[in-house]
Amino acid sequence: MVAKLLVVAGDRLHPALVDDAELERGLAAHLERLSIRLRHGLPVHNPLLREVKERYPDVHVVAGELAALLEPQLGQSVTDDEIGFLTMYLSGAMERARLRPRRRVLVVCPSGMATAWVLVSRIQAEFPEFDLVQVLSEGDYEELDDRNYDLVITTVPVPEHSAPVVVVNPLLSAGDVARVNAAAH
């Protein structure tokens, strides 16, 4: 069954997943535990479900498709918490192999670079999949000719040129993280 799931994941997300031995081992072990939980009616809770769904919406959809394939084998419905765990295995494999497209991000702050570096460290912690292209002052952004980036994260309102602009607090609140995530996907 795991091989079949990997083929579907490979078709829907990236062909390299089919040959990922670590993903295969992890899924096999998880499905064994899932089968035991279902057989004995043991509850499961995924405390990261909301965050996983927000951060990897495309992978979560595919994990739901895999769960639908599992249900006839298991004889029961697979819960959303379990779909979240499947999402974590798949997205972890994609991050590990750098299969997710990297977003090129520009950071803009008014002029104080101290604010910018606080924001940069928060972005790197929350979004390790981002490539931070450049950190600019507001004035330098206005003069920028090179538009080779996918997203602008800024602490001040700036005009949108070739990519979405998300205005955030330098400390990057939970609401800011959600807005950046939505703009990036």
Side-chain angles (χ1 to χ4, degrees):
M1 188 62 190
V2 172
K4 182 178 181 181
L5 296 180
L6 290 176
V7 167
V8 172
D11 286 344
R12 299 279 283 120
L13 295 169
H14 196 283
L17 294 176
V18 175
D19 299 319
D20 187 322
E22 188 174 337
L23 175 60
E24 183 177 8
R25 281 191 300 276
L27 280 177
H30 184 79
L31 294 179
E32 189 175 314
R33 292 187 302 270
L34 169 61
S35 177
I36 292 168
R37 280 194 296 272
L38 289 175
R39 190 172 333 127
H40 297 288
L42 301 173
V44 65
H45 173 67
N46 185 338
L48 300 174
L49 178 62
R50 184 182 58 76
E51 184 178 343
V52 167
K53 287 170 81 169
E54 287 175 6
R55 182 148 312 177
Y56 304 104
D58 54 333
V59 179
H60 188 72
V61 167
V62 174
E65 293 172 15
L66 299 183
L69 292 173
L70 286 171
E71 289 175 352
Q73 296 287 325
L74 298 169
Q76 293 186 41
S77 294
V78 176
T79 67
D80 215 24
D81 288 294
E82 289 291 354
I83 294 170
F85 286 124
L86 294 174
T87 303
M88 292 167 69
Y89 280 102
L90 294 170
S91 58
M94 293 179 73
E95 295 286 354
R96 190 174 57 252
R98 297 196 173 268
L99 301 175
R100 293 194 65 75
R102 308 223 3 119
R103 296 286 195 201
R104 296 176 47 80
V105 175
L106 191 66
V107 175
V108 179
C109 289
S111 60
M113 285 295 139
T115 302
W117 293 112
V118 168
L119 178 57
V120 164
S121 67
R122 290 288 296 129
I123 292 169
Q124 289 174 326
E126 291 290 337
F127 301 97
E129 70 274 17
F130 286 176
D131 282 330
L132 296 179
V133 176
Q134 203 169 2
V135 178
L136 298 171
S137 69
E138 186 177 5
D140 289 339
Y141 173 77
E142 297 297 330
E143 297 171 11
L144 187 66
D145 288 330
D146 178 16
R147 307 262 189 241
N148 192 15
Y149 49 86
D150 302 310
L151 180 65
V152 176
I153 300 175
T154 177
T155 59
V156 292
V158 296
E160 189 172 302
H161 294 301
S162 62
V165 172
V166 181
V167 180
V168 299
N169 178 296
L171 299 177
L172 206 63
S173 70
D176 293 335
V177 169
R179 286 196 326 282
V180 167
N181 203 15
H185 298 100

